[in-house]
Amino acid sequence: MLSGRFIILGVTGGIAAYKAAELASALTRAGALVDVVMTKAAQEFVQPLTFATLTGRPVHTELFGSSTGGIIPHIELATRAELIVVAPATANTLAKLAHGHADDLLSSLVLAATCPVLLCPAMNAYMYAHPAVQSNLKRLSEMGYHIVEPDSGRLACGVEGRGRMPDPGVIMEHIKTLFLSPGDLRGVKVLVTAGGTREPIDPVRYISNRSSGKMGYALAAAAGMRGAQVTLISAPTSLDPPPGVEVVFVETARQMYQAVMEHFSTQDVVIKAAAVADYRPKIIEGKKIKKREDTLILELERNPDILFELGQRKTPYQTLVGFAAETDDIEANALEKLRRKNLDLLVANDVTQPGAGFGTDTNIVKLFYRDGRIKSLPLMDKKALAHRILDVVVELRSRVDG
Ligand code: CTP
């Protein structure tokens, strides 16, 4: 996929610049032609010679000069680039890009480029959390830049928090998804459900689950990027809906059932990433329950199984994808669920594994196909995983169409 592609790797002045060397090496091994552009501060951390040796290609540092052999290096590089990756992207570089400054080679060339740009912010956790940085990132995202969120953990400066540049393997996954055909879901109607439903007990309390909604929101965003017309039916989450997606907010399983059924007949693909409560309190108290006895018994009744119902109603032209969060006997449970709910694909995760399941940015899943195939995917970022799931959806749909 990356063979022969011309990629510019912009390296700016943060300690994570040493990880950019590993990224340059991985890209080169994958067959990409990697020209590195370094800011002045980046050269305080790593020598240009390191990158030149790893890539076997020129390293550019000057806005004026003839490093490209052309008269205007930033225009020449911007015209040829198929992708620009800025890793690490410091707070200063993000601020410059968010406001259109062009005072060095990297900022000028990003301004002049028409190819996709992937930014990998990395900095001290307090800097990353600062409203100025967050508002610049929001602005950059709205302008169409792709952003890889930094990891949490112990940072080089000794502070604990979010700000660490993800491993080069994770950034490589993002790069690969950007090279996928962006239009392979053009004209396809995709409905995604996300989040954990809330089942009220009384006016102030409810029963819910640990779902963050991140997987469903990533799927909605990825489908939109690939040209689909996306409807996202979302139970409560703390996430911002992806741009260009129609969002229907619901709270309970029954509201989600209602909204999904209203949309279902016009959809080509339905992906049920939501964690739907199987039971709800039988009686919702009109007034707040007061504490009186030592024990309190809540009687619960079954909620409709939305996915099961969709499996009954679906036509051969509709693709139905379900999720399963399992804690034991993952394969047997997943296959049983796939058949019982009449699904085309089941995405099963073992929520007991570190890095998998609720609330995390990553997941480890197995894909179970209707035809019996099973594909195990490694630990990956939910945004990258969303694209891998959609790759399978595209493959399944090409069989229906063909
Ligand atoms: N699901 C649904 N409606 C429900 C419960 C679940 O649509 N009332 C969907 C979820 O969105 C998910 C899939 O069913 O795509 C699997 O949910 P899960 O809770 O793992 O499975 P269950 O069918 O509830 O089976 P079990 O109780 O054995 O875990």
Side-chain angles (χ1 to χ4, degrees):
M1 186 191 290
L2 298 181
S3 180
R5 313 302 288 260
F6 183 60
I7 298 176
I8 289 179
L9 175 59
V11 183
T12 71
I15 182 60
Y18 80 91
K19 285 194 201 170
E22 216 181 305
L23 180 61
S25 168
L27 285 166
T28 305
R29 274 185 276 123
L33 307 172
V34 186
D35 271 24
V36 173
V37 173
M38 299 182 79
T39 61
K40 202 166 179 314
Q43 295 166 61
E44 300 285 339
F45 290 90
V46 185
Q47 291 290 317
L49 182 63
T50 306
F51 288 104
T53 310
L54 291 170
T55 61
R57 296 188 53 85
V59 174
H60 313 272
T61 54
E62 302 303 324
L63 183 55
F64 303 105
S66 58
S67 59
T68 59
I71 305 162
I72 319 172
H74 65 282
I75 303 296
E76 166 128 13
L77 288 169
T79 311
R80 281 168 49 215
E82 293 177 81
L83 174 71
I84 299 174
V85 182
V86 185
T90 57
N92 183 46
T93 295
L94 295 175
K96 288 205 288 187
L97 299 182
H99 298 278
H101 286 230
D103 62 354
D104 63 5
L105 178 59
L106 184 62
S107 52
S108 306
L109 107 83
V110 172
L111 263 192
T114 54
C115 64
V117 178
L118 182 69
L119 304 173
C120 307
M123 65 201 73
N124 163 277
Y126 298 118
M127 288 173 84
Y128 182 69
H130 194 286
V133 173
Q134 287 303 313
S135 104
N136 285 336
L137 281 167
K138 189 161 180 282
R139 199 179 156 93
L140 287 161
S141 169
E142 284 163 3
M143 285 195 276
Y145 289 89
H146 303 276
I147 294 161
V148 181
E149 209 187 338
D151 285 343
S152 287
R154 193 177 162 76
L155 307 179
C157 54
V159 167
E160 198 79 37
R162 191 172 290 282
R164 199 167 63 183
M165 191 167 100
D167 286 338
V170 173
I171 299 173
M172 282 293 280
E173 282 300 324
H174 282 271
I175 292 171
K176 284 182 192 162
T177 61
L178 286 173
F179 275 108
L180 285 170
S181 158
D184 57 4
L185 285 173
R186 201 169 301 288
V188 178
K189 288 191 172 168
V190 176
L191 186 149
V192 180
T193 67
T197 62
R198 283 181 185 171
E199 310 298 329
I201 298 170
D202 67 17
V204 295
R205 303 181 178 98
Y206 56 79
I207 299 174
S208 192
N209 56 67
R210 294 183 190 279
S211 171
S212 64
K214 283 179 184 165
M215 192 64 244
Y217 275 55
L219 279 158
M225 270 171 66
R226 293 166 77 148
Q229 202 177 317
V230 184
T231 306
L232 173 64
I233 296 180
S234 178
T237 72
S238 58
L239 306 170
D240 289 329
V245 165
E246 181 201 339
V247 193
V248 180
F249 291 106
V250 296
E251 206 160 302
T252 66
R254 281 196 292 182
Q255 288 166 0
M256 182 171 279
Y257 176 88
Q258 201 68 35
V260 170
M261 293 307 159
E262 273 166 26
H263 287 81
F264 183 57
S265 64
T266 57
Q267 301 298 316
D268 301 304
V269 178
V270 175
I271 307 179
K272 284 232 66 226
V276 186
D278 289 323
Y279 293 90
R280 64 174 177 271
K282 196 164 184 177
I283 295 163
I284 304 171
E285 297 294 342
K287 292 187 180 155
K288 186 176 168 222
I289 300 170
K290 286 284 182 197
K291 55 180 165 310
R292 288 195 190 94
E293 312 299 329
D294 282 350
T295 57
L296 172 73
I297 294 171
L298 277 180
E299 198 178 350
L300 305 179
E301 63 186 355
R302 279 293 294 268
N303 269 326
D305 187 328
I306 308 169
L307 190 59
F308 177 81
E309 184 82 25
L310 297 178
Q312 302 299 301
R313 293 188 187 195
K314 93 180 194 73
T315 70
Y317 303 101
Q318 290 177 304
T319 307
L320 191 55
V321 181
F323 273 73
E326 305 289 356
T327 51
D328 50 63
D329 219 352
I330 177 164
E331 198 157 320
N333 283 327
L335 288 169
E336 188 276 326
K337 213 165 275 181
L338 178 95
R339 301 227 163 81
R340 179 165 47 86
K341 299 200 182 190
N342 190 25
L343 309 178
D344 297 291
L345 186 73
L346 183 85
V347 183
N349 56 358
D350 176 353
V351 286
T352 59
Q353 288 195 64
F358 298 121
T360 59
D361 288 332
T362 56
N363 215 347
I364 314 169
V365 305
K366 278 190 177 165
L367 304 180
F368 294 84
Y369 293 61
R370 185 198 269 283
D371 65 11
R373 277 180 294 156
I374 301 173
K375 194 186 270 183
S376 298
L377 298 180
L379 174 77
M380 69 173 80
D381 180 89
K382 284 182 177 168
K383 288 179 183 161
L385 176 59
H387 278 285
R388 299 296 282 271
I389 294 168
L390 292 176
D391 290 346
V392 178
V393 167
V394 170
E395 178 205 322
L396 295 175
R397 283 186 52 75
S398 70
R399 291 183 192 183
V400 172
D401 295 342

